[in-house]
Amino acid sequence: MLSMLENCKLCPRNCNVDRLNNKQLGFCKSKFELNIARVSLHSWEEPCISGTRGSGTVFFSNCNLNCVFCQNHEISQDGIGKEVSIERLSEIFIEEQQRGAHNINLVTPTHFVPQIIEAIKLSRNMGLNIPIVYNSNGYENQETIQALNGYIDVYLPDLKYMNDKYAQKYSKVSSYFEFASKAIDEMVKQAPKPIFNKEGLLLSGVIIRHLMLPGLLFDSKKIVEYIYNKYGDNVYISLMNQYTPLFNATEYPEINKPLNPKHYDSLVNHCIDIGIKNAFIQEEGTVKESFVPHFDLRGV
Ligand code: SF4
C-alpha cells in the first residue's frame, strides 16, 4: 500500500512525485511522514458522529485544495503540525478509544491514505474496535477510495460545488464535481445504507456535507437535487451554514461577508420541497468560533 506514494497520484492533482523516499513535494506539500496538528474529542460534528462523549478527531495538516475561505488555513496551507510515524498514529487511535471517543474521525486525510491504512491495521491488532470516519473535502481519485474498502466505516465527504467556475475561483481546482461525484459513488458502494446503533450513533454509512457560500444558492440547490436524485434516502445530507469570511476571502468581495440566513432557509425549504428526509441542518446563530479548533498539537 505504501508503494502508492512512490509516484503519488493519491488525489486528482496526480503530481506523480516520489513521496515514499521524500524526493519531491507535490501540490499538497506532504512528505512521507504523517503531519498532524491536533488530536481531541470533538463535539461539533453531526449528532450521530459526536454523540455524548465526542468524536475522536485527528486533524491532518496540509491539503490538496486551496480554498480561499479555509477556516483551518493554519494547518491546511501553512502546514502547522507535528511529523509522526505510522506507529505513533496507531497509538493515537488507541488513545482516542481509551478516552471514550465514539469513533476515530480522520479530518482531511486524503494525502495520507496509505499511511493511515497501515496505522489502522496496526491499531486493530492492538484492539481498536470503534468505527473509522473518513472526513474529506471530496476531491479524491476513485482508486484511492477503493483502496480504503474494508478500513472505513463512515464516509463524511464534502460536495462543495457543482459549477466548475466556482471550484476554480474559490478552491483553485478544476473538475471538482467530476472527481468528487465519482469518489462519492465509490463511498456509497462501500457503505450503501446508513446503520445506527441503539444510541443513534452512525456505525456505517455516508453523510455528504455541503457548506453554503454567500451568493451560491443556485449552485447549492443543484447539489442537493443531484444527491437526492442519485442516492435518495440511502445517504444523509448535512447542510452547513457556518461559513465565516476568513483567510483570503477578503480578496473576494462577493464572499467577504456572512451567509444570508434567508438563503440558507431557502435551501432548507428546497430540500423539504423535493422530498429529502435524511438531512442535518444547523441553527441560525451557532457560535462560529466553536467550529475552529486551536491547532496546538494537543494529543499528537
Ligand atoms: S496527495 Fe499531494 S502529492 Fe499526491 S497527488 Fe495529491 S496533491 Fe499531489
Side-chain angles (χ1 to χ4, degrees):
M1 203 61 80
L2 294 176
S3 61
M4 293 172 84
L5 292 162
E6 194 163 9
N7 308 94
C8 188
K9 295 177 186 165
L10 287 178
C11 84
R13 299 273 181 197
N14 288 330
C15 298
N16 204 15
V17 293
D18 182 357
R19 291 176 50 199
L20 186 66
N21 301 297
N22 278 335
K23 285 193 177 159
Q24 299 119 348
L25 299 179
F27 180 92
C28 68
K29 303 192 273 289
S30 301
K31 302 201 281 191
F32 173 80
E33 290 76 19
L34 291 142
N35 192 14
I36 299 176
R38 179 183 164 106
V39 173
S40 62
L41 291 179
H42 200 58
S43 303
W44 301 100
E45 310 287 22
E46 289 75 3
C48 63
I49 301 290
S50 287
T52 52
R53 300 194 301 271
S55 178
T57 46
V58 180
F59 286 88
F60 293 97
S61 302
N62 308 334
C63 187
N64 62 345
L65 292 185
N66 187 1
C67 302
V68 299
F69 50 83
C70 183
Q71 66 176 20
N72 294 347
H73 59 92
E74 288 173 311
I75 65 169
S76 68
Q77 303 305 318
D78 303 339
I80 290 174
K82 181 176 169 186
E83 286 187 4
V84 304
S85 65
I86 290 169
E87 290 73 21
R88 175 64 195 135
L89 181 59
S90 67
E91 290 168 7
I92 286 171
F93 291 161
I94 295 293
E95 288 165 10
E96 292 269 59
Q97 179 169 281
Q98 288 169 343
R99 276 185 212 116
H102 290 294
N103 43 55
I104 300 295
N105 187 340
L106 308 165
V107 186
T108 320
T110 307
H111 44 290
F112 291 121
V113 160
Q115 297 94 319
I116 289 169
I117 289 173
E118 295 305 318
I120 292 172
K121 287 184 198 166
L122 288 176
S123 52
R124 278 185 178 163
N125 286 337
M126 292 190 278
L128 185 75
N129 57 16
I130 53 178
I132 311 277
V133 180
Y134 187 85
N135 180 344
S136 83
N137 61 37
Y139 189 55
E140 314 268 3
N141 273 339
Q142 205 173 34
E143 297 75 21
T144 303
I145 303 302
Q146 283 165 350
L148 287 163
N149 194 6
Y151 297 100
I152 300 299
D153 302 285
V154 174
Y155 283 101
L156 190 53
D158 293 340
L159 191 52
K160 293 175 181 289
Y161 316 96
M162 178 160 277
N163 189 321
D164 218 32
K165 83 176 175 196
Y166 300 125
Q168 191 69 56
K169 188 172 188 186
Y170 299 133
S171 293
K172 311 302 172 198
V173 66
S174 55
S175 306
Y176 173 83
F177 180 81
E178 180 191 335
F179 285 104
S181 55
K182 284 184 190 155
I184 290 171
D185 272 348
E186 175 62 25
M187 295 173 187
V188 176
K189 197 169 150 194
Q190 291 177 28
K193 283 201 187 290
I195 300 171
F196 296 89
N197 70 7
K198 58 182 184 325
E199 297 165 316
L201 291 159
L202 190 59
L203 300 179
S204 175
V206 179
I207 302 175
I208 303 171
R209 283 179 168 172
H210 177 65
L211 173 69
M212 196 176 183
L213 298 189
L216 268 60
L217 175 59
F218 182 78
D219 204 59
S220 293
K221 285 183 174 176
K222 289 279 171 210
I223 283 178
V224 296
E225 286 167 16
Y226 167 81
I227 294 171
Y228 190 60
N229 289 338
K230 183 128 201 203
Y231 305 115
D233 295 327
N234 292 328
V235 302
Y236 275 76
I237 300 176
S238 182
L239 299 176
M240 310 183 83
N241 69 350
Q242 67 189 66
Y243 174 80
T244 313
L246 292 169
F247 191 38
N248 292 327
T250 47
E251 295 167 23
Y252 299 82
E254 72 280 10
I255 60 164
N256 189 28
K257 58 188 176 187
L259 182 66
N260 182 339
K262 288 184 181 153
H263 289 182
Y264 185 73
D265 290 347
S266 174
L267 181 62
V268 172
N269 287 332
H270 186 63
C271 288
I272 295 167
D273 289 344
I274 64 176
I276 294 175
K277 295 179 209 66
N278 291 347
F280 295 100
I281 59 172
Q282 291 182 318
E283 298 294 322
E284 190 180 339
T286 309
V287 182
K288 307 287 191 289
E289 292 75 19
S290 304
F291 294 100
V292 187
H294 297 293
F295 297 113
D296 49 10
L297 311 186
R298 175 180 315 185
V300 183

